[in-house]
Amino acid sequence: MTIADVVAPTTSPNVLRARPAGFARDVSAVAGRALRAVPRDLEAVFPPVFIALFFFIVNVASLSKLAQAGGHGFDYKAFQMPTAILIGVTGVSRAPALVLDVQDGYLDRLLMTPIRRLAILLGHMVADVAVAIALTVPIIVFGFVIGVRFETGMLGLVAFVMLAALWSLAFAGFGYAIALKTGNPAAVNSAFLLFFPFLFLTSAYVPRSQLSGWLDKVAAVNPVTYLLEGLRSLVSQGWQWDDLGKSLLAIGVMGAISMSLCFAALRGRTARG
Amino acid sequence: MSSVAIRTNALVRRFGDFSAVDGVDLAVEEGEIYGFLGPNGAGKSTTVRVLCTLLAPTEGTATVAGFDVGSQPGEVRLRIGVALQDAALDPKQTGRELLRLQGLLYGLPKYAMAKRVDELGELIDLGDALDRPIATYSGGMKRRLDLVAALVHNPQVLFLDEPTTGLDPVSRASVWDEVRRLNDELGMTIFLTTQYLEEADLLCGRVGIIDRGRIVAEGTPDELKHSVGSDVIVARVDGDAAPLRGIIEGLEGVQSVEAHGNELVIAATNGSAAISPVAVALSTCEVTVRDLTLRTPTLDDVFLELTGSHIERDDTNEENDR
């Protein structure tokens, strides 16, 4: 086969010609690529699930008796499952892969196609939501195995997973912002540090009512506190619209901040000036 | 009459106070292979990145396939194929996945995609490797994949930024063959940057020589080489060659003499006739002549005459050895 068999003459009609693919196709193409990379990059998704399950098991084993000592039917396993879920999905994103695209020059290849710039980021985020949903599965299955049940039933379970996935996306925005701003893998990995104050300066291990002093004050302004309360309400209390509303608001505030940062970083990265 | 595929007028691209491209005027005809020759840092890649819409011009204008790169980048992107200096590939994708993704982003119909990818894979003779991760490819395979990824959508203008840098001689010759065929059989306009003299000489219909962001000479390779003289005599001596210049300049048949370090580059109308007088003249001087060679001019001689330095030392030696 020669090149003439494959590439059409530049003046030839009725040949394959480039045209804008459309925004939806751009997003799905990038998301498809990102999702195909996940099984080849298991080291990026396996540790969060392992750590989440590890802490779920250890916390339930070590704190259940203490936490349930007051009686009143308090189920510490159900209380801990949202914490485990957030440990599993927070910070999981394709931002490190995007940094490699910057470094390998592959981002430039994408930018020289007719793709909309926004679709590059949204495609990755669509993949992130899918991965976050998948990551909740083993944790929820383990929860079921040890006896956790949803007061809100199957619909509540779906809402639970969606809240977790939306939170994962909101947090991922920080990783993308750092990835696009710096193009530096070490800097992206350092975004993990944000994980600690958000996840642990809150009611992750004991109910808010048991927190005291400065930790209670910090937890009061930590959006994760409200997210956890919303998730826990779905598991243990039924449809508590007030708690769910606060959860969505917490995700919305975090998402607004992180997305503003990452879309600004995208504009900076793709600026031609 | 052919039309212009690439045109720049007083194109400038600055980074801070530094002008990487400093007033470049270009007119590349449709169906032409145009070589942009210069050393590292001359402004070749920056010019390509402007023409490929990755960078906006700071001043001046540039059009590709009739569209302005500054105000109509989307139209330009639909009509160009680009292989940048470093193969821009995702090592975790397979070759097939990469080509398919390119096709999707260029809006090719899904029904045609599989056939298209097979054709391109066959073209570069990747065989089963097409379904392997790109991370397992050799440098030559990556470069060939990079090249066909730029061809997925049948572009009107192909930009190749140093397409053979770092390749072994066999892979380099293979890329040259493919570039020639694209141009000969399909009339594709190709804008090729290179620091390899041989590459510019063999492939390009016209060559622009760029130094410090400015085009210092332009023409066919033969025109450029003849501008130096019919023949070139190169004398390498121990010590500084500059004092010898005056002695050689007065000899019959010598057109011009340039001294660069320990090297005298002597342009002559008839090198065979001039080399003996040159040798005799040098023998009368108190200087040790390390070697004296006669050859036809190269593009490096043109560059040397215009800028006072060589384009690429290793290539110069290769050319001298041929």
Side-chain angles (χ1 to χ4, degrees), chain B residues 17-231:
Chain B
D17 294 333
F18 173 67
S19 295
V21 178
D22 191 13
V24 165
D25 293 307
L26 279 173
V28 179
E29 302 289 323
E30 274 185 6
E32 187 176 11
I33 301 182
Y34 187 91
F36 216 32
L37 181 68
N40 282 332
K44 304 186 299 290
S45 293
T46 304
T47 304
V48 167
R49 292 176 81 83
V50 171
L51 295 174
C52 296
T53 75
L54 285 175
L55 294 171
T58 308
E59 289 172 21
T61 60
T63 59
V64 176
F67 294 95
D68 188 277
V69 299
S71 59
Q72 298 169 294
E75 296 295 334
V76 172
R77 287 175 194 136
L78 289 172
R79 291 163 177 82
I80 62 172
V82 187
L84 291 179
Q85 191 168 350
D86 297 313
L89 304 169
D90 169 11
K92 289 192 174 173
Q93 287 189 93
T94 67
R96 185 180 301 281
E97 288 167 348
L98 182 125
L99 293 176
R100 187 177 157 73
L101 180 60
Q102 283 291 111
L104 286 171
L105 297 178
Y106 279 107
L108 302 190
K110 281 188 176 169
Y111 67 82
M113 201 74 76
K115 182 167 178 276
R116 181 81 184 137
V117 170
D118 284 340
E119 287 171 346
L120 291 166
E122 200 175 324
L123 173 69
I124 53 175
D125 202 21
L126 278 184
D128 294 340
L130 197 61
D131 291 305
R132 288 206 325 251
I134 293 164
T136 65
Y137 289 14
S138 67
M141 290 163 78
K142 285 179 183 169
R143 181 55 82 181
R144 274 154 36 216
L145 179 66
D146 196 42
L147 178 59
V148 294
L151 300 174
V152 165
H153 56 296
N154 294 309
Q156 294 174 37
V157 181
L158 180 63
F159 289 92
L160 301 175
D161 190 9
E162 304 205 13
T164 60
T165 297
L167 293 188
D168 60 79
V170 175
S171 298
R172 189 181 292 183
S174 166
V175 170
W176 289 350
D177 284 345
E178 281 158 17
V179 169
R180 263 195 220 98
R181 282 191 306 214
L182 280 169
N183 181 253
D184 289 346
E185 298 175 25
L186 307 172
M188 188 176 285
T189 307
I190 297 171
F191 188 93
L192 177 148
T193 77
T194 184
Q195 53 179 308
Y196 294 128
L197 307 163
E198 185 187 7
E199 190 162 278
D201 214 346
L202 290 177
L203 285 179
C204 301
R206 281 193 308 143
V207 172
I209 295 181
I210 184 168
D211 183 48
R212 297 186 180 93
R214 289 176 174 272
I215 292 183
V216 293
E218 189 180 50
T220 67
D222 282 344
E223 284 169 355
L224 290 171
K225 287 184 284 189
H226 285 136
S227 71
V228 176
S230 300
D231 291 315

